[in-house]
Amino acid sequence: MSEAGALRTSLDGGVLTLTLDRPDKRNALDSALIEALHAALDRADLDGEVRVVVLRGAGKDFCAGADLGELLASADRTLAENERAARRLGEVFERLRALPKPVVAVVQGRAFAGGAGLATASDVTIAGAGAQLGFPEIQRGFVPAMVMAILRRLAGEKVALDLVLTGRALSAAEALAAGLLSRVVPDADLDRVADDVARRFAGTGATALALTKRLFYQLDGLAFSEGIALGAKVNALARQTPDFRAAIAEFLRG
């Protein structure tokens, strides 16, 4: 296990766990933590031993969003400086989706604002039944800007606009119904279920996972016929991989 600021990392059996470790601040995202996430995603991308990334929050909450002290101080910075800082967080969301390995978010307690962004930008998001998810920025005179790009795709126009204009929090069950979570499980089962999912990914062919994830996100915005054509290309490519040959041969033997 290693530490980079307020981010703890550990690698076990192909599972790289990244734990936001500011429980006294509800794991709020400051610039140091955002840079630590970038460094960890660099490792996840380049390290062949990493098969899956698990994103967690220490303590009672997953992540409450931006560090409000740092956010207030930013009011005295220039427009260009604040845009660069905001872009760094937005790039974390982009990288979670671009990473050629599955990312599993494990959500307990509150996942608000940028924390909701981390949760929903992950590929698979598993929440405990007591979790809450919301975008309360407007209640603080702020705008849920970058997270809206994710939210609008997942929840659709009416639900997304309701959430960002009111800032209301959703229960885990409501967030699941809105398409913002993959699964909701009893709080007592959260760690076990998340570990099972991560281990299953770690034992699946890395090439097949990478191709499937990339194709899934590339389909966004494509016409149906374009999606079929792109799928055919990926299908043909997948048939030439060693993972495909080995898996099909093993299945036929069984």
Side-chain angles (χ1 to χ4, degrees):
M1 182 177 293
S2 62
E3 288 195 29
L7 184 71
R8 286 189 283 116
T9 67
S10 64
L11 179 60
D12 179 29
V15 180
L16 179 65
T17 301
L18 310 179
T19 304
L20 310 177
D21 195 19
R22 303 183 73 202
D24 56 321
K25 298 286 188 180
R26 294 194 291 158
N27 301 316
L29 297 165
D30 62 5
S31 56
L33 182 50
I34 290 168
E35 292 307 315
L37 283 168
H38 275 289
L41 292 173
D42 285 340
R43 175 188 177 184
D45 195 11
L46 298 174
D47 189 343
E49 293 187 15
V50 176
R51 304 294 296 273
V52 56
V53 175
V54 173
L55 187 59
R56 293 179 171 272
K60 295 181 179 180
D61 295 306
F62 176 72
C63 176
D67 184 292
L68 294 182
E70 187 173 271
L71 192 61
L72 180 60
S74 72
D76 295 324
R77 298 195 180 100
T78 68
L79 188 65
E81 288 173 330
N82 283 328
E83 185 175 348
R84 282 194 298 270
R87 188 71 178 127
R88 288 301 281 169
L89 177 57
E91 286 168 352
V92 171
F93 302 152
E94 291 180 283
R95 294 188 68 186
L96 291 174
R97 293 201 164 189
L99 187 74
K101 299 167 185 181
V103 179
V104 179
V106 185
V107 179
Q108 82 285 358
R110 289 165 285 195
F112 288 167
L118 288 177
T120 53
S122 298
D123 302 312
V124 174
T125 308
I126 305 170
Q132 291 182 301
L133 191 144
F135 304 85
E137 288 93 335
I138 201 140
Q139 297 174 356
R140 298 177 177 86
F142 201 45
V143 177
M146 294 168 298
V147 293
M148 215 183 303
I150 308 168
L151 175 62
R152 200 177 192 280
R153 284 168 167 76
L154 296 180
E157 184 178 280
K158 290 300 183 185
V159 172
L161 191 57
D162 175 14
L163 291 175
V164 297
L165 289 181
T166 65
R168 67 187 180 93
L170 298 179
S171 68
E174 290 172 324
L176 179 67
L180 303 181
L181 301 173
S182 306
R183 308 184 193 184
V184 173
V185 301
D187 292 324
D189 295 338
L190 180 59
D191 289 341
R192 178 187 59 79
V193 172
D195 185 65
D196 287 346
V197 171
R199 298 297 172 190
R200 175 172 293 187
F201 283 144
T204 301
T207 304
L209 284 173
L211 289 173
T212 300
K213 176 174 174 176
R214 185 173 68 179
L215 174 60
F216 183 85
Y217 291 123
Q218 284 180 329
L219 290 172
D220 189 24
L222 291 183
F224 181 74
S225 60
E226 294 173 327
I228 294 295
L230 179 59
K233 291 180 180 179
V234 175
N235 182 297
L237 179 62
R239 299 182 196 211
Q240 297 179 327
T241 65
D243 286 349
F244 169 81
R245 295 174 185 271
I248 294 296
E250 182 179 353
F251 180 81
L252 291 175
R253 286 196 299 269

